[in-house]
Amino acid sequence: MAAVAAATRWQLLLVLSAAGLGVTLAPQPPNILLLLMDDMGWGDLGVYGEPSRETPNLDQMAAEGMLFPNFYAANPLCSPSRAALLTGRLPIRTGFYTSNGHARNAYTPQEVVGGIPDSEHLLPELLRTAGYASKIVGKWHLGHRPQFHPLKHGFDEWFGSPNCHFGPYDNKARPNIPVYRDWEMVGRYYEEFPINLRTGEANLTEIYVQEALDFIKGQQAARRPFFLYWAVDATHAPVYASRPFLGSSQRGRYGDAVREIDAGIGRVLRLLQDLGVAENTFVFFTSDNGAALISAPKQELDLTTAAPGHLPGEPSPGVVNLNLRPDSGWSFISTTVSVPQNSSSPTSDGPGREPGGQTCPEGGSNGPFLCGKQTTFEGGMREPAIAWWPGRIPAGQVSHQLGSIMDLFTTSLSVAGLEPPSDRAIDGLDLLPAMLQGRLMDRPIFYYRGNTLMAVTLGQYKAHFWTWTNSWEEFRQGVDFCPGQNISGVTTHTQEEHTKLPLIFHLGRDPGERYPLSVASTEYLDALHRITSVVQQHQETLVPGQPQLNVCNQAVMAAAQHSRSGPLRARPSPLRPVRAPAPSHRAAAQSRPAREGRKNARGCGGETGGPRPRAWPCPPSCAGAEPPSPPGPAPHADARLPSAEPAPRVRDTCGATMADPELQLVARRIRSFPDFPIPGVLFRLSWKSRETPWNLDRRWWLWMICWPLVPHPVSPARDHARSL
C-alpha cells in the first residue's frame, strides 16, 4: 500500500509540475481528412480493377489501409449526398429533395434558392467544440444564398465554389459561378479561374492541392487538431486537368483528371508523414455518387472548326464534328462543349442536355455494376472507399462491412471522442469497430431518389420497389443513364412500381442486377420478409424535412400566390413514398417551357456573401413552395402521383408525346378496332413531319397498310388511347 501511495503522489507531482511549466500531457485529438471526389466511379482505381493502373498513390493508400468494396452514397446525385456526409442523415430528413415530381433527382443549381437548414448540425460545428480548426476546399453545393455559406455552418476557412464549374454563361441572363476565399468572392469560373473546354486545361486541382498543403502546415505549426474537407470536382463534367497531366492517361481527359487527383493525394499523404502526424490523422477517400454514364459508344470529338472571334477556351457556336468509334465496354459521360450564345451550359445533374450542345466522352467507370449517376442501381450509388490511419487501421485489409457516406459523420465524431447529437435521428454508423477490430455490423442501405424510396439492401439482398432510369423523351435525345446495359423490366424508362412483388437480387452472385430471384423461391420469401421488417421500422422514424431543392418555376410561383399548399410532413409508407400534391394541369402546362428549359429562367447570381459584382436579383425563396393543387380535396400523402408529366398529353406505347390534334384524332379512332399495336414509328414520323404536306388521310392510309402486317394479342396503344 505504501508503494501504491508513493506512486500516486509521484504521478500527482508530475501533473502539477507539468501544469506549472505550461505543458499539456493530454495527447492532441486525431486530425481528420475527408477526401471526397465528384462523380468518380467504383471502377476508376487500379485497386478496384481499372486496367490502366494509373492511380499508384491511391492504390498504395489502400495497401497501407483498408478497402471498403461495399460502400455507398446516400443519393445518386451531388448535393443530397454531400448533405448526408456532413449531417449523418438521409437527404430526405434534411430536406435535400424535391417535391416537384415523383422520384425526381434534384441538386442546387443557380435556380434553386434552398440549401442546408440552420436546424441541421454539421460535422465542423460539432468538431469545433473539441477544438478543431475546419476548412473546406472545393465544392460546397449545399446552397448559394448568404445564409448557406460554409462559414455560417461551422467551417473556419473556405476556398472553393458554392456550385460546380458549370458554364461558361453569358453573364446576361445568368452569371458565371463564383469562387470564394472565406467571405470574399475572388473570381469566377471561366474568368479569373479559366477552364479551356476545348483542351480541358485548368489549374484548379493544383490550386486545391496547395490549399490543402498550406492548411495542414499552418495547423501543425499552431499545434491545433484540424478537420480538412477536400472536395475537388475535376472529374465532374466538364472534366479538366492541368497542363502537365493533359494527355498523360490511357483513358483520355477523364483519366488525366484522375491522375492529377491521385498525384495530389500522394503529396498530401507524404506531407503528413514528413510532419510526423500521419499516425495521428484519420484519412478517408470516397466519392459523392457513381460515375456519370450518359452516352455510349465513345465519341471522339473533332474540335478543329470554330467560329471566328472566339478566344481560346471559349465555347464556339460553330459546327462540331462527331466521329463515332466503338469502345471496349467502358462507358463514358457526354459533356457539352459547344454552347450557343445566350444559353446556359447543360449539366449531368440536370434533367438532360439542352438543345444545341455537342457531346464528347469524359466520364468514369462503375466496374461491373449496373447504370450510373442519377440511378439507384449499384453503379449510381456504390463508391470506391479507402480508410488510412497508419498504426491504427491494419494495413492491407478489406472490410465487407456495408458502409455509407453518412457513416463518415459518426465515425469522425468518434475519432474526435465526441458523441453524435441525441435530439434527432442519425443514420450514419460508427465504422471504427469495423476498421480497428474487423467487427461487422448488420445494417440496411436505403436508396432514395428524390422523395422516393427506390430500393433497400440488407446483407447480400437488394429489393427494388421502383425502377427507373430516365424518361423516353430524354432517351430519344441520346441521354442514356445505362449505356449498353439494357435489361428488360429492370432498366425501365418509365417509373415502374414493384411494391407488391419487389425485384430482389443477390448482389454477391449477381452484382450487375441482371437476374432477379424467382418470387416463388424460399430464398425470395425469406429475403422479402427480412427487408419488409427493416423498411417498416425505417418508416416509423422517418419525418421528411421541408424540401429545399424545388425548382423556382416562375409560372408555378405566380399561380401559387393564389393557391399554395404547404410541404407534406406525413410519415411516408416505404412502398408508397412521400407525395407532393398533384400539380395543376393548367399551371403545369404553362410552366413546361420553363421546367424543360431551365436555361431560360433568370438565375439567382450564385452569390454566397461578400462583395457582389454583377449580382443578379434572386426570386423569393421557394424552398418549401409547392405547385398549386387542383380544385377539390388535397390528395393523401400516400396517393399516387398521376405521372411525371402532369399536363394532359397523349403518349404512344414508347412514351413519345403527341400533342398534335390530328394525331389525337387518329388515336381516338382506334378505340373501336380489335387489339393491335400502332407502329410508333408512324406516329413519330407524322409528328416530325408536321410542317410537310403530310395530312391525316395519308397517315391513315399508311396505318391501314401496316396494321395487318403487325398482329399482336395485346394493345398497349389502345389502352393509352382510351385514357384520352
Side-chain angles (χ1 to χ4, degrees):
M1 292 296 295
V4 172
T8 302
R9 287 193 298 270
W10 177 250
Q11 292 174 356
L12 180 61
L13 288 173
L14 285 177
V15 171
L16 293 176
S17 300
L21 294 174
V23 178
T24 302
L25 296 181
Q28 179 175 300
N31 305 308
I32 301 170
L33 172 55
L34 301 184
L35 307 169
L36 184 67
M37 303 300 102
D38 203 340
D39 291 6
M40 184 175 285
W42 189 93
D44 277 332
L45 307 186
V47 70
Y48 279 95
E50 201 287 314
S52 300
R53 294 294 195 273
E54 295 179 342
T55 54
N57 294 288
L58 287 168
D59 296 347
Q60 182 65 26
M61 179 181 175
E64 297 174 356
M66 180 173 287
L67 197 69
F68 286 83
N70 304 317
F71 197 84
Y72 291 87
N75 191 273
L77 213 60
C78 304
S79 293
S81 190
R82 292 162 190 268
L85 185 156
L86 292 176
T87 62
R89 288 154 54 83
L90 285 166
I92 195 169
R93 298 191 196 273
T94 62
F96 265 71
Y97 67 97
T98 176
S99 58
N100 289 156
H102 177 229
R104 175 179 174 179
N105 284 322
Y107 68 117
T108 56
Q110 297 191 66
E111 293 83 359
V112 169
V113 296
I116 192 70
D118 289 337
S119 59
E120 294 297 330
H121 296 318
L122 270 63
L123 180 58
E125 296 179 54
L126 301 175
L127 291 176
R128 178 180 288 174
T129 63
Y132 279 77
S134 300
K135 180 169 184 171
I136 171 176
V137 175
K139 179 176 170 182
W140 168 239
H141 224 197
L142 300 186
H144 55 77
R145 305 297 297 279
Q147 64 267 33
F148 306 127
H149 195 287
L151 271 59
K152 286 191 175 182
H153 291 271
F155 283 102
D156 300 306
E157 300 180 31
W158 178 31
F159 181 86
S161 174
N163 212 310
C164 196
H165 56 281
F166 303 137
Y169 302 119
D170 58 11
N171 276 331
K172 296 177 181 178
R174 177 185 295 182
N176 283 317
I177 304 296
V179 177
Y180 282 83
R181 180 176 296 282
D182 300 336
W183 293 103
E184 180 183 2
M185 191 184 82
V186 294
R188 293 179 184 270
Y189 289 134
Y190 301 97
E191 297 177 22
E192 292 81 2
F193 296 90
I195 302 174
N196 190 317
L197 292 182
R198 288 194 183 88
T199 65
E201 181 179 351
N203 65 345
L204 287 168
T205 300
E206 182 180 353
I207 295 174
Y208 292 152
V209 170
Q210 193 60 49
E211 288 288 328
L213 298 176
D214 293 343
F215 178 74
I216 292 172
K217 293 176 183 177
Q219 301 310 313
Q220 175 63 15
R223 308 294 299 175
R224 185 180 181 186
F226 64 82
F227 166 51
L228 176 57
Y229 176 42
W230 198 66
V232 297
D233 66 351
T235 47
H236 190 295
V239 175
Y240 62 79
S242 63
R243 182 171 299 178
F245 290 90
L246 285 176
S248 65
S249 171
Q250 299 294 318
R251 304 177 60 194
R253 191 179 299 175
Y254 180 87
D256 297 340
V258 172
R259 290 199 66 183
E260 183 169 17
I261 289 174
D262 175 80
I265 292 175
R267 292 178 61 190
V268 171
L269 297 184
R270 284 192 295 272
L271 176 64
L272 294 175
Q273 294 169 334
D274 293 342
L275 295 177
V277 296
E279 296 185 354
N280 198 40
T281 304
F282 170 72
V283 184
F284 201 95
F285 169 93
T286 189
S287 179
D288 60 350
N289 47 249
L293 314 179
I294 294 190
S295 177
K298 184 176 179 180
Q299 298 174 345
E300 188 179 52
L301 205 58
D302 177 10
L303 291 171
T304 58
T305 304
H310 285 263
L311 299 176
E314 289 185 344
S316 169
V319 177
V320 179
N321 299 318
L322 291 175
N323 302 317
L324 301 183
R325 69 182 186 189
D327 190 60
S328 57
W330 294 83
S331 301
F332 295 84
I333 187 174
S334 292
T335 303
T336 296
V337 298
S338 177
V339 184
Q341 290 181 345
N342 301 323
S343 72
S344 61
S345 172
T347 75
S348 61
D349 289 321
R353 298 179 300 177
E354 296 178 0
Q358 304 298 332
T359 59
C360 68
E362 299 298 349
S365 164
N366 294 315
F369 302 117
L370 184 61
C371 300
K373 178 179 179 177
Q374 299 217 41
T375 76
T376 49
F377 299 105
E378 291 297 284
M381 292 186 60
R382 196 185 291 212
E383 312 305 328
I386 304 172
W388 188 81
W389 194 355
R392 300 294 303 275
I393 295 178
Q397 300 298 306
V398 176
S399 174
H400 294 285
Q401 170 68 46
L402 285 181
S404 168
I405 200 169
M406 298 178 291
D407 300 341
L408 299 182
F409 173 86
T410 312
T411 304
S412 296
L413 291 178
S414 180
V415 168
L418 300 174
E419 294 292 331
S422 59
D423 61 342
R424 62 198 64 210
I426 300 296
D427 299 293
L429 298 182
D430 180 6
L431 294 182
L432 282 186
M435 296 177 184
L436 304 182
Q437 304 164 17
R439 187 191 312 166
L440 299 183
M441 298 164 281
D442 194 20
R443 61 93 62 86
I445 297 293
F446 297 105
Y447 302 71
Y448 272 91
R449 180 167 175 170
N451 62 343
T452 303
L453 180 60
M454 304 287 287
V456 175
T457 287
L458 186 64
Q460 294 278 18
Y461 295 97
K462 180 178 181 180
H464 287 272
F465 303 126
W466 292 83
T467 54
W468 186 37
T469 56
N470 62 327
S471 68
W472 279 113
E473 289 80 0
E474 289 184 341
F475 183 72
R476 289 194 181 95
Q477 295 171 6
V479 179
D480 187 0
F481 293 165
C482 311
Q485 296 178 310
N486 181 37
I487 301 176
S488 178
V490 179
T491 56
T492 57
H493 292 287
T494 56
Q495 297 181 14
E496 298 294 333
E497 185 177 7
H498 310 281
T499 56
K500 294 182 180 179
L501 287 175
L503 299 178
I504 299 182
F505 299 88
H506 188 285
L507 296 179
R509 300 192 301 263
D510 181 23
E513 299 172 274
R514 287 165 171 78
Y515 310 104
L517 301 180
S518 170
V519 297
S521 66
T522 303
E523 183 181 17
Y524 177 93
L525 296 176
D526 290 344
L528 179 62
H529 176 74
R530 292 181 59 218
I531 292 175
T532 300
S533 175
V534 169
V535 169
Q536 290 175 347
Q537 183 179 2
H538 170 64
Q539 169 191 354
E540 294 174 356
T541 61
L542 179 62
V543 179
Q546 180 174 338
Q548 298 291 318
L549 304 185
N550 285 343
V551 176
C552 291
N553 188 296
Q554 300 299 326
V556 171
M557 289 177 65
Q561 293 178 358
H562 301 89
S563 173
R564 183 186 297 264
S565 61
L568 293 172
R569 295 186 64 83
R571 289 180 178 177
S573 166
L575 308 185
R576 299 281 186 184
V578 180
R579 311 291 188 187
S584 164
H585 292 314
R586 176 173 299 178
Q590 293 173 349
S591 66
R592 181 176 176 84
R595 184 159 44 83
E596 288 188 347
R598 293 191 296 175
K599 65 182 184 297
N600 297 323
R602 192 169 184 83
C604 296
E607 303 298 342
T608 317
R612 297 188 169 199
R614 301 194 304 279
W616 269 251
C618 293
S621 175
C622 65
E626 303 289 345
S629 300
H636 188 269
D638 289 345
R640 186 171 181 175
L641 282 181
S643 70
E645 301 288 348
R649 289 174 174 267
V650 186
R651 296 178 178 275
D652 66 5
T653 55
C654 294
T657 301
M658 297 184 296
D660 191 309
E662 294 180 346
L663 294 178
Q664 294 184 17
L665 178 59
V666 173
R668 289 190 179 96
R669 288 185 180 181
I670 71 173
R671 293 175 180 170
S672 59
F673 283 80
D675 288 331
F676 60 89
I678 296 295
V681 66
L682 294 183
F683 277 87
R684 292 193 293 275
L685 179 61
S686 302
W687 169 246
K688 293 180 180 179
S689 306
R690 293 174 63 188
E691 306 301 329
T692 67
W694 284 80
N695 53 44
L696 178 61
D697 293 335
R698 187 163 298 181
R699 295 181 195 140
W700 186 260
W701 177 73
L702 284 175
W703 167 77
M704 288 296 292
I705 293 176
C706 293
W707 167 43
L709 303 178
V710 195
H712 200 280
V714 181
S715 174
R718 190 180 69 171
D719 294 339
H720 279 268
R722 283 175 173 170
S723 65
L724 292 175

